[in-house]
Amino acid sequence: MLDPALLRTRLAETAARLKETRGFTLDVSAVEALESQRKQLSTDTQELQNLRNTRSKAIGQAKAKGEDVAPLMAEVAGLGDKLKANELALAEVQAKLADIALLIPNIPHASVPIGQDETHNQEISRWGTPRSFDFAVKDHVDLGVRHGWLDGEAGAKLSGARFTVLRGQLAQLHRALGQFMIDLHTREHGYLECNVPVLVNSDAMFGTTQLPKFEEDLFATQVGDSRRYLIPTAEVSLTNLVRDTIQEADALPLRLAAHSLCFRAEAGSYGRDVRGMIRQHQFEKVEMVQVSRASESYAQLEEMVGHAEKVLQKLNLPYRKLLLCTGDMGFQSSKTYDLEVWLPSQNTYREISSCSNCEDFQARRLQARVRNPETNKPELVHTLNGSGLAIGRTLIAVMENYQNADGSITVPEALRSYMHGAENIA
């Protein structure tokens, strides 16, 4: 969430910036009215507390002198009732202000291009040359049905639409990709491998901003009075590891990575990419998270994007890097790069990784802090997250870019040691 000071001291400026960059309309009059109530109630509450303290001391003095204290005690009792009513009213106003703040998106970094949607994203670079085929290109579904490797009907039978069963060599290739990615990030990029829960409580989802705004996009479970959520990405679990902590400065940046199952209900996206594995309710991903000091976070973002790019380069998959515009960024992001991999069957690039700097937007909810070595005081950290990569989409890209005329698929050299030396799957 945004720094509350922005809503108290720079409300008009903040509202204008949100409107310009995010198309978000902040109800300034409502915030002003609530803030005015908050200030008045705070002042009244403080005055009542001071008056009650003064009268309580007077009671003690009167008792010591043997004087009648009944009138003073009646007055103090009345002040207590007024104070309780004021405190309840103040808490109600503060809750209303908090409810407004929780729905306000992060303010984009000044370097982010202003735009309404993906058509205004800025292409930064391209890597690799899309392959030219001398035969009719098949998509991953047609390639996958060979030998029953990719079975959407079985997935639907077990769980419903947007679930897929992988078998045989294709399942092995999918597993190899996950192992290759986590090995690369831990052995070459300095991430600490973590195995984290995929079922988390509401505090964890709140901390990384999935709640309350995006609850309809989540899968939830209810056992008795306990409600838990299936993670949409390991970002949730990894980032929450620093919730309610104070890190020492020399321990940052923290680099954490996890290979996990991910679950997304994706309410409102019905009908998009329903063929095959492009958009699934259950998928696997290798997630990267960094926790950084504020002064270093943008350098860490560039580093993280490079780590995601390295996966594609080692697999020799053509891709392009985009800087997302203000209208296409996630709710919690201050700056986001997307990597899009080339899919021959679609003759276009499709998203395979998204890397974001959230600055202190998540950290404020998480109360994730670092001790400033110069002042010895805690300060909010910056949190970053990135896909390194989405395994199912990487599998699709490998299948399509490495397909052969006979329907077999060449195994990229980087994966062969994970495939017991196999050079192709057929």
Side-chain angles (χ1 to χ4, degrees):
M1 58 194 298
L2 293 180
D3 185 346
L6 293 176
L7 303 183
R8 293 177 182 172
T9 63
R10 298 163 56 186
L11 179 59
E13 177 187 342
T14 301
R17 180 66 177 160
L18 287 166
K19 185 66 175 178
E20 176 192 19
T21 60
R22 293 284 199 167
F24 179 86
T25 301
L26 179 61
D27 192 339
V28 173
S29 60
V31 174
E32 286 178 335
L34 287 168
E35 185 60 25
S36 177
Q37 292 178 49
R38 186 195 66 78
K39 289 179 179 178
Q40 187 61 55
L41 286 166
S42 294
T43 299
D44 293 347
T45 299
Q46 185 64 47
E47 290 177 351
L48 285 168
Q49 288 173 336
N50 291 338
L51 185 57
R52 185 177 65 172
N53 291 339
T54 299
R55 292 294 184 267
S56 295
K57 289 180 181 179
I59 290 172
Q61 293 170 350
K63 283 183 176 179
K65 296 177 182 179
E67 299 173 354
D68 181 12
V69 296
L72 285 172
M73 292 184 70
E75 183 182 358
V76 169
L79 289 173
D81 291 339
K82 291 180 182 178
L83 183 59
K84 184 176 181 179
N86 261 44
E87 289 173 342
L88 289 172
L90 178 59
E92 184 178 350
V93 169
Q94 290 173 326
K96 289 179 179 178
L97 283 167
D99 287 343
I100 292 174
L102 290 176
L103 298 178
I104 300 174
N106 202 355
I107 295 176
H109 189 264
S111 63
V112 175
I114 294 176
Q116 295 181 348
D117 53 40
E118 62 185 16
T119 61
H120 297 98
N121 292 339
Q122 184 180 112
E123 184 173 313
I124 302 299
S125 62
R126 294 192 182 196
W127 186 93
T129 302
R131 175 184 168 190
S132 295
F133 293 86
D134 57 6
F135 57 88
V137 170
K138 295 179 180 179
D139 71 3
H140 74 283
V141 179
D142 290 335
L143 290 165
V145 297
R146 180 185 178 94
H147 308 309
W149 285 345
L150 188 155
D151 194 339
E153 291 184 4
K157 178 181 178 180
L158 296 173
S159 304
R162 298 195 189 183
F163 290 88
T164 300
V165 171
L166 298 179
R167 298 188 181 96
Q169 291 180 299
L170 196 60
Q172 185 182 0
L173 184 60
H174 182 271
R175 174 165 53 86
L177 280 165
Q179 291 176 309
F180 159 70
M181 291 175 193
I182 199 72
D183 281 351
L184 176 65
H185 294 316
T186 56
R187 295 176 182 177
E188 296 188 22
H189 299 155
Y191 289 81
L192 176 67
E193 182 174 0
C194 302
N195 188 301
V196 294
V198 299
L199 198 62
V200 299
N201 57 33
S202 58
D203 288 343
M205 287 293 191
F206 175 84
T208 46
T209 73
Q210 279 76 24
L211 290 179
K213 185 174 176 60
F214 301 105
E215 184 159 14
E216 67 174 4
D217 291 325
L218 304 172
F219 284 108
T221 66
Q222 188 82 32
V223 179
D225 295 331
S226 178
R227 185 172 178 82
R228 291 187 175 87
Y229 297 87
L230 290 164
I231 59 171
T233 163
E235 168 204 345
V236 176
S237 303
L238 291 172
T239 308
N240 270 274
L241 291 175
V242 296
R243 187 176 80 208
D244 296 325
T245 67
I246 300 176
Q247 304 292 320
E248 295 303 323
D250 59 6
L252 300 186
L254 289 178
R255 296 181 179 90
L256 310 173
H259 171 191
S260 78
L261 287 166
C262 306
F263 304 87
R264 292 184 182 174
E266 296 197 290
S269 64
Y270 180 79
R272 297 176 59 196
D273 295 319
V274 295
R275 178 174 165 83
M277 293 177 59
I278 291 284
R279 193 177 294 273
Q280 298 275 278
H281 287 314
Q282 174 185 308
F283 56 98
E284 293 181 39
K285 185 151 67 85
V286 171
E287 184 74 5
M288 304 176 292
V289 160
Q290 293 204 27
V291 179
S292 169
R293 295 189 68 182
S295 60
E296 301 169 350
S297 66
Y298 280 97
Q300 300 307 126
L301 176 62
E302 299 297 327
E303 177 188 78
M304 178 179 284
V305 176
H307 295 160
E309 288 184 85
K310 185 61 69 174
V311 178
L312 293 168
Q313 291 169 9
K314 283 184 172 291
L315 293 172
N316 199 27
L317 292 172
Y319 68 90
R320 66 175 182 172
K321 179 167 68 174
L322 302 176
L323 174 60
L324 299 196
C325 72
T326 55
D328 199 33
M329 290 198 318
F331 175 83
Q332 75 276 21
S333 176
S334 59
K335 185 173 184 177
T336 298
Y337 290 101
D338 271 8
L339 300 181
E340 296 184 343
V341 70
W342 179 257
L343 293 187
S345 69
Q346 298 185 15
N347 198 39
T348 192
Y349 293 93
R350 296 299 304 268
E351 180 193 340
I352 198 167
S353 174
S354 188
C355 298
S356 300
N357 185 354
C358 302
E359 294 191 358
D360 60 13
F361 193 78
Q362 293 177 326
R364 184 166 286 104
R365 293 195 189 192
L366 295 163
Q367 280 302 288
R369 294 159 292 172
V370 57
R371 192 174 305 282
N372 186 322
E374 296 177 1
T375 65
N376 205 37
K377 294 180 179 180
E379 300 173 350
L380 292 172
V381 299
H382 281 194
T383 60
L384 303 90
N385 62 82
S387 309
L389 307 164
I391 297 173
R393 290 198 176 189
T394 309
L395 177 67
I396 291 170
V398 168
M399 293 170 69
E400 294 196 4
N401 283 279
Y402 282 88
Q403 64 181 289
N404 301 309
D406 62 358
S408 64
I409 299 165
T410 299
V411 176
E413 289 187 13
L415 299 179
R416 290 178 185 174
S417 63
Y418 297 93
M419 295 287 290
H420 307 293
E423 296 185 2
N424 63 77
I425 58 176

